[in-house]
Amino acid sequence: MVKKLLLAIFIALPTLSFAQKFGIVNTQTIMQELPDVKDAQTQLETASKKYDEEFKNLQTEMQKKYEEFQKAQEEKAPQTILDRRTSELQELDQKIQQFRQTAAQDLERQQQQLLAPIQQKVINAINSVGAEGNYTFIFENTSPVYVGKDVTDITTAVKGKLGLK
């Protein structure tokens, strides 16, 4: 009984492997060529520049407050004035740290919002090529160690689905 089952598996195994079709795709290359990605990068760069400008303004304000503090120290100002200026510096430092964190989070959120529909578009194109070509699996071609002759690179087909040359 076991011998018959093993024999059946060995007979079926070669036909099963021929029935499967594998593909690879380089989504990084595809994403780099999409105009939508370039538009998203431009929007992110614009937002980043605005945050950089605001950060520079906060740094300038911090420098000004620090110079006022140093001047008050040199002029031997009363301790209450020094304490107030120290407190202002600490508050401004906290404000700067919070701004940096908020800006980084906002840029990350914007990136995710801008790229999500583009990534979905690429996934849909890959799924379409996979269904049309009757592929069993399609793998990301990031750094394959070995690609056999039975594996098809579908990157060009996916680019075609997305209207890229």
Side-chain angles (χ1 to χ4, degrees), residues 130-141:
E132 290 171 8
N134 293 317
Y135 287 92
T136 305
F137 291 102
I138 297 175
F139 299 97
E140 178 64 44
N141 183 20

Side-chain angles (χ1 to χ4, degrees), residues 36 45 65 67 80-81 84-85 123 128 164:
D36 297 351
E45 287 171 7
K65 295 277 185 195
E67 288 170 2
T80 54
I81 292 174
R84 182 179 60 82
R85 299 233 166 120
I123 289 169
S128 178
L164 299 173

Side-chain angles (χ1 to χ4, degrees), residues 22-31 122-123 125-127 129-130 135 137-144 147 151-160 162:
F22 299 101
I24 56 173
V25 65
N26 189 332
T27 55
Q28 185 177 9
T29 301
I30 294 168
M31 291 288 285
V122 171
I123 289 169
I126 292 169
N127 289 338
V129 169
Y135 287 92
F137 291 102
I138 297 175
F139 299 97
E140 178 64 44
N141 183 20
T142 50
S143 59
V147 177
V151 177
T152 306
D153 188 344
I154 64 162
T155 303
T156 304
V158 173
K159 285 181 182 181
L162 294 168

Side-chain angles (χ1 to χ4, degrees), residues 90-156:
Q90 290 172 342
E91 287 174 18
L92 189 55
D93 184 54
Q94 288 176 348
K95 195 183 208 182
I96 290 171
Q97 297 306 320
Q98 181 64 38
F99 175 77
R100 286 173 110 175
Q101 183 178 4
T102 303
Q105 290 171 347
D106 187 51
L107 286 172
E108 185 176 327
R109 180 190 52 78
Q110 285 182 43
Q111 181 179 17
Q112 289 173 354
Q113 285 179 336
L114 290 169
L115 292 181
I118 299 167
Q119 290 168 334
Q120 189 58 51
K121 189 174 168 182
V122 171
I123 289 169
N124 291 344
I126 292 169
N127 289 338
S128 178
V129 169
E132 290 171 8
N134 293 317
Y135 287 92
T136 305
F137 291 102
I138 297 175
F139 299 97
E140 178 64 44
N141 183 20
T142 50
S143 59
V145 178
Y146 171 76
V147 177
K149 61 184 175 188
D150 296 335
V151 177
T152 306
D153 188 344
I154 64 162
T155 303
T156 304

